[in-house]
Amino acid sequence: MPGPRVRIAPSPTGYFHVGTARTALFNWLYARQHAGSFILRIEDTDRARNVAEHTEGIQRSLRWLGLDWDEGPWFQSERTDLYADAVAKLVSADAVYACDCTPEQVAARARQRGGPPGYDGHCRDRRLEPGPGRILRFRVPDGGVTAFYDLVRGEVSSPNGAIEDFGVRKSNGEPLFILANAVDDADMAISHVIRGEDHVPNTPKYLLLWDALGYGEHPSFAHLPLLLSESRQKLSKRRDKVAVEDYRDEGYLPEALRNYLALLGWSPGRDREILTLDEMVAEFRLEDVKSAGAIFDERKMQSVNAEYLRALDPSLFVDRAQSWLRARWEPVGPLVQERARTLGEVFSMVDFLFLSHPTIDAEDWARGVRRQPAFAAILDAAAEAYTDVDWHAEALKSATAAAGERAGVPQLAKAQAPVRLAVTGRSVGPPLFESLQQLGRQRTIERIRAGRRRLDPATPKGPQPGA
RNA sequence: GGCCCCAUCGUCUAGUGGCCUAGGACAUCACCCUCUCAAGGUGGAGGCACGGGUUCGAAUCCCGUUGGGGCUGCCA
């Protein structure tokens, strides 16, 4: 008697997101509760947008959160034969047709109609031969309604007339999300599709495809409420700070993050909030998940984390803090080792990695500013250069050298000084580029900007003399 | 614009027709404790979006309005 089969299907196009983590958690809870299988599938069909580093990040984040998977990771990029077979089936059933309209043409016609954007079915009856340069589109029925039952939302339906002829295979032959997604769910015998609410509009298309491919009984669906930013918009990788690993680096405990995430859209009831994983597994009910979006509130998450921290056995707390501290400076350890005369000196060499704002040594700073007329120009150039450089020591070195040249200071030794002062607060310390690599892009650039502001004549605070 | 979804304190939520004078947590304010800060304790302020129904009775059911969100890609 096999249990349910669920999956988390992230795409490696960005850092692993707290929203994805919440979806993964709910899938995982469901699988564990029903002795089912939790499957990891990497949706990397869009080769142009994939970043290998993110594939690693997905797995690291999942493991860190304790969400172990039973199968996978499967990579869609390695399953292209499956999609090709499905496409062949769709073609021979005349469920899809080839279309050679460019996106520009589609948009232009939509503008001309003055109607809504979207594809107008232009090539529906042109009977073009499928092939390179031609996208394959699904022939959506003109009439009728596609409906499904959602474990969270109840009955959901939409008229087929509102669904345009969506693409299933790109003109370069790559499968599109909706196709790969449905084919894989069928192939992997997924019984419950538990995913974000943003996929609700995809579900009718998925079902149309599913039926056209003759896959039989539909999986069950549960669309989870979206995690929102403070502005009530869907949490976005671009706008918001959302990477799970950022929170790890800030010192959140995985069990605390997990607990907080569980509370978004679900509640164990009876006024309880802190609960163990076992309790969650025992009590979680998809049917009890709310359907309204939830704002991701970092302050609340902090208080949950604080509660977990306090509950730790003191010696365990020291251990946990220790390993966090250690992870922060360990990468520059060997570099510090060469320079420290006593262990006591280690601290002042790495303190900048821990402080939210570096302690600026007033004398070093004043001397640095005095000696380098292009101080400000170098900081500006560096901040700009660091914005989209590969965040590795070697690349940072070239970027800094280039920034120096742009500021009229071709010697790296001189060009690095203002950056070092702004970022570490001192004129001496471990090698700069490895230090920056460890500090991270965001904090580095923030500090350079702060250094830049420090250079500007102080803005008068109190009443102006004589005013 | 079209389609879809949603609606309890600022935020996360409890609530599934009478137990609701709507409970808890975060945040916030006051006080207590206290060498500081936390933690803890006590108390305060703060919400059922609005309008119609249904019902003896509605935060809970129905309809509408308003508001918010998602989707509308040869992204996933």
Side-chain angles (χ1 to χ4, degrees):
Chain A
M1 185 203 75
R5 294 173 58 80
V6 299
R7 43 69 164 185
I8 181 73
S11 76
T13 53
Y15 293 100
F16 193 72
H17 195 277
V18 286
T20 317
R22 201 273 309 255
T23 303
L25 173 64
F26 283 16
N27 272 281
W28 185 90
L29 288 172
Y30 191 79
R32 291 294 168 265
Q33 178 178 88
H34 295 95
S37 301
F38 176 57
I39 296 156
L40 172 59
R41 183 171 81 216
I42 309 286
E43 307 224 324
D44 56 351
T45 49
D46 188 2
R47 294 198 48 227
R49 299 206 322 154
N50 292 332
V51 181
E53 146 68 13
H54 296 320
T55 299
E56 278 307 311
I58 289 166
Q59 298 177 69
R60 264 200 317 270
S61 301
L62 244 17
R63 278 196 211 99
W64 180 71
L65 284 166
L67 305 178
D68 54 318
W69 55 96
D70 306 300
E71 291 176 27
W74 305 116
F75 293 88
Q76 290 192 323
S77 57
E78 295 170 4
R79 298 164 57 81
T80 49
D81 288 355
L82 234 44
Y83 315 129
D85 288 350
V87 164
K89 232 165 133 181
L90 291 169
V91 168
S92 67
D94 198 32
V96 295
Y97 60 89
C99 161
D100 62 0
C101 300
T102 64
E104 293 72 32
Q105 290 169 333
V106 172
R109 282 201 302 269
R111 260 196 313 279
Q112 217 165 48
R113 290 197 302 277
Y119 186 66
D120 54 2
H122 183 261
C123 299
R124 231 178 189 209
D125 302 311
R126 292 176 62 206
R127 316 241 50 114
L128 260 22
E129 203 52 43
R134 289 172 180 175
I135 183 176
L136 247 27
R137 292 182 180 278
F138 189 85
R139 207 182 285 283
V140 177
D142 292 321
V145 166
T146 300
F148 64 97
Y149 183 78
D150 189 294
L151 262 9
V152 170
R153 272 148 232 282
E155 207 68 44
V156 179
S157 69
S158 62
N160 291 334
I163 305 173
E164 63 180 51
D165 287 351
F166 56 90
V168 303
R169 190 185 70 181
K170 297 193 212 179
S171 58
N172 68 5
E174 281 179 15
L176 250 359
F177 159 76
I178 198 84
L179 196 250
N181 194 249
V183 168
D184 276 344
D185 282 350
D187 183 68
M188 296 178 185
I190 298 302
S191 64
H192 293 70
V193 175
I194 305 170
R195 56 185 357 176
E197 186 194 345
D198 46 348
H199 284 295
V200 169
N202 285 328
T203 307
K205 303 181 193 173
Y206 174 111
L207 258 12
L208 253 14
L209 217 37
W210 185 280
D211 290 342
L213 287 163
Y215 287 151
E217 201 190 331
H218 298 164
S220 299
F221 292 94
H223 287 96
L224 272 18
L226 254 20
L227 259 35
L228 275 21
S229 69
E230 263 171 273
S231 62
R232 296 213 144 274
Q233 309 263 301
K234 177 167 93 156
L235 230 41
S236 115
K237 287 177 187 169
R238 227 187 56 246
R239 277 194 311 266
D240 311 299
K241 195 193 74 183
V242 294
V244 166
E245 293 189 300
D246 282 349
Y247 292 111
R248 177 201 63 194
D249 293 346
E250 277 176 31
Y252 283 90
L253 263 22
E255 59 269 43
L257 179 54
R258 204 165 57 196
N259 194 149
Y260 174 65
L261 252 19
L263 265 18
L264 263 17
W266 178 71
S267 161
R270 286 185 287 144
D271 295 339
R272 292 167 310 147
E273 290 194 323
I274 304 296
L275 58 172
T276 66
L277 240 208
D278 286 345
E279 289 171 323
M280 283 187 223
V281 168
E283 300 181 34
F284 180 74
R285 296 284 177 279
L286 231 25
E287 294 74 11
D288 292 342
V289 172
K290 301 221 326 171
S291 37
I295 292 179
F296 183 80
D297 181 2
E298 211 171 322
R299 284 178 309 184
K300 173 80 177 187
M301 180 168 69
Q302 251 168 32
S303 95
V304 171
N305 198 59
E307 203 157 334
Y308 270 87
L309 247 20
R310 286 193 299 269
L312 248 27
D313 182 85
S315 70
L316 193 53
F317 168 74
V318 172
D319 285 349
R320 293 264 229 153
Q322 179 93 326
S323 49
W324 182 86
L325 255 12
R326 186 185 168 128
R328 272 230 164 165
W329 79 277
E330 190 169 33
V332 297
L335 302 169
V336 171
Q337 188 180 5
E338 291 171 25
R339 294 165 172 77
R341 287 165 303 188
T342 66
L343 293 176
E345 284 183 345
V346 171
F347 181 72
S348 63
M349 289 191 190
V350 300
D351 61 350
F352 72 94
L353 287 170
F354 298 98
L355 298 165
S356 48
H357 303 289
T359 310
I360 305 287
D361 183 298
E363 261 179 56
D364 280 5
W365 179 267
R367 193 169 46 238
V369 171
R370 205 181 325 121
R371 282 185 184 167
Q372 182 50 270
F375 202 100
I378 292 171
L379 289 186
D380 287 340
E384 203 194 316
Y386 293 169
T387 306
D388 54 74
V389 70
D390 232 20
W391 205 253
H392 290 292
E394 271 312 304
L396 284 164
K397 185 176 177 178
S398 334
T400 308
E405 270 174 52
R406 219 169 321 135
V409 183
Q411 311 95 314
L412 183 60
K414 291 190 177 172
Q416 60 92 44
V419 176
R420 178 185 295 280
L421 274 163
V423 174
T424 72
R426 296 188 171 84
S427 53
V428 295
L432 183 62
F433 308 117
E434 284 78 0
S435 301
L436 298 186
Q437 180 182 327
Q438 186 53 22
L439 228 209
R441 189 193 308 271
Q442 197 184 327
R443 283 189 293 171
T444 297
I445 293 177
E446 267 169 22
R447 288 175 189 201
I448 290 174
R449 297 229 170 90
R452 188 64 179 77
R453 283 194 297 278
R454 195 186 176 88
L455 241 31
D456 290 332
T459 336
K461 293 255 159 41
Q464 301 262 9

